[in-house]
Amino acid sequence: MAPGVARRRLPFLDVTIGVVVGTDGVLVVDTGSTVREGELLSRQVRELTGREATGVVLTHAHFDHVLGTAAFRPHVRVYADRALDGVLERERDDLRETAVRLGVDPGEAAEAVAALVRPHVLVDGRHDLDLGGREVRLVTVGPGHTGHDLAVVVPGTPTVVFCGDLVEESGDPQAGPDAVPDAWPGALDRLLELGGETAVYVPGHGSCVDARFVREQRDVLARRFGVA
């Protein structure tokens, strides 16, 4: 995608995981659905970079993006939108039940929820990270897919934008009970402002896309939800 920036599509639910590497730090974007999946990702990060991850960004609180985080302890600081912390505290049972309903082994789901890691750094608007020769911007762009969507912007040639589930390529965007439909198209407008026309946009599920894809998905969502 870009120097020092990589992504992996997980077999389960086609979740996309990001990695951003600097001289002083390694940042992982989302962690998968179980501690076992997180352990595999942590090992692959070490194999890819020769180092442990130093930070994890959670783009939103759905189980397939957060339940692997415990595998990265105690080495990492966890970053998330300020509203995500309360969601993880209140909705542990819902996370476990949703994970099991969508195919996670009940024992693994229970293990992951019991080990759930809440964020150390709560982002309110924007938070800049310096990984050593590599700038990363964490930006609150939601609500939309949830009430706490966080984008990860890696400036460069090209700029890379990790979108979480605000953008999905391998299926239609999913609007659950925690979605904010009338705000979702505006969140995609903000993503496009952050990345511009030449950025690589990394969906929460599926292949990387371009600005045209994001704009077209924005228009589909606007029609779907009756938003101008």
Side-chain angles (χ1 to χ4, degrees), residues 1-6 20 133-135 137 153-161 194-201:
M1 290 190 298
V5 187
V20 185
R134 172 68 69 182
E135 178 187 359
R137 301 169 187 160
V153 182
V154 188
T157 307
T159 292
V160 178
V161 182
L194 289 167
E197 291 301 309
T198 61
V200 174
Y201 293 87

Side-chain angles (χ1 to χ4, degrees), residues 25-220:
V26 177
L27 189 69
V28 174
V29 182
D30 290 336
T31 61
S33 303
T34 64
V35 176
R36 178 171 54 86
E37 208 166 48
E39 288 170 347
L40 174 62
L41 289 168
S42 179
R43 183 167 66 251
Q44 290 175 334
V45 169
R46 288 195 299 273
E47 291 170 352
L48 177 67
T49 68
R51 290 180 283 159
E52 299 281 358
T54 56
V56 164
V57 180
L58 303 177
T59 61
H60 63 292
H62 289 168
F63 81 93
D64 48 333
H65 297 262
V66 303
L67 288 186
T69 309
F72 291 88
R73 291 188 301 179
H75 311 289
V76 301
R77 290 177 66 77
V78 179
Y79 302 83
D81 177 78
R82 61 184 175 83
L84 180 142
D85 187 49
V87 173
L88 293 182
E89 178 63 18
R90 294 190 305 270
E91 300 184 8
R92 288 172 178 259
D93 289 343
D94 287 343
L95 282 171
R96 177 179 50 77
E97 291 168 5
T98 302
V100 172
R101 176 167 52 83
L102 292 178
V104 174
D105 174 82
E108 288 195 285
E111 175 195 27
V113 169
L116 194 61
V117 178
R118 292 169 60 182
H120 305 105
V121 180
L122 301 178
V123 178
D124 188 359
R126 173 170 162 171
H127 184 87
D128 293 344
L129 298 174
D130 182 358
L131 300 180
R134 172 68 69 182
E135 178 187 359
V136 179
R137 301 169 187 160
L138 312 181
V139 185
T140 300
V141 291
H145 176 67
T146 69
H148 49 271
D149 297 300
L150 189 69
V152 180
V153 182
V154 188
T157 307
T159 292
V160 178
V161 182
F162 291 95
C163 306
D165 285 3
L166 284 166
V167 179
E168 296 192 41
E169 185 274 335
S170 55
D172 293 333
Q174 299 300 301
D178 57 346
V180 187
D182 59 348
W184 200 333
L188 296 190
D189 289 336
R190 286 187 285 279
L191 279 179
L192 289 165
E193 290 172 2
L194 289 167
E197 291 301 309
T198 61
V200 174
Y201 293 87
V202 185
H205 300 261
S207 298
C208 298
V209 299
D210 58 13
R212 181 175 64 177
F213 181 98
V214 176
R215 189 172 295 106
E216 290 174 350
Q217 192 158 96
R218 182 254 185 237
D219 293 341
V220 167

